[in-house]
Amino acid sequence: MKIVVLAALCMVAMGAPQYGYQTPSQPVRPPPQPAPRSQPTYGIPASASTRQSAFDSVEQIPILRDDRVHEDDGSYTVDVETGNGIILAESGSPDGPEGTIVTAGEFSYTAPDGTPISLQYVADENGFQPEGDHLPVAPEFPHEIPQFVLDQIAKAAEEDAAAARAEAASVRQAASVPAPAPSLYYGPPQ
């Protein structure tokens, strides 16, 4: 019997998956970190061998106008125009609540499908408020509100006002009743 149990135990042990850790043949090194740059670069490959070909294949868009004025009081103006028709004009000043900057501006460009896009905006204490012909507009309410719905809304308002009047009257009445005199004897709560 002991031999059968021992044989069964050996077969289970041999059939069980073997989990373990094997040391890698080469040490694992973290990936190299790029050296810090003094100025960021955008869209240029990192390798020197492909750098010139990247410049040759990218269309260079000239900046036709880039006027920026920043005043000491926090107000500013920006006026930019590029060779491919992008125009941006923005101004801001600390006219908002607690001196926050209120910004107004506009930009325009041509979409890839050829549609001219023009957007005017204001950003103030009410948030960003864009306006443009290309922006979606919510559809109008599909129908008039039926009279029975308007009547029900008016009835609910009347009921709310009557409940408020009744509550105010009960508070006034409770305030006009004098409080009972304190008892001279200790007893259970009543």
Side-chain angles (χ1 to χ4, degrees), residues 123-189:
D124 58 13
E125 65 271 6
N126 298 317
F128 182 73
Q129 304 156 50
E131 293 181 13
D133 293 337
H134 66 287
L135 296 176
V137 177
E140 292 185 26
F141 196 70
H143 53 78
E144 291 184 27
I145 299 175
Q147 186 60 43
F148 74 91
V149 173
L150 296 173
D151 294 342
Q152 187 63 34
I153 292 171
K155 181 179 178 186
E158 289 173 10
E159 289 174 352
D160 289 344
R165 286 191 302 271
E167 177 71 23
S170 72
V171 168
R172 282 193 304 273
Q173 182 183 11
S176 66
V177 175
S183 173
L184 300 175
Y185 302 103
Y186 177 77

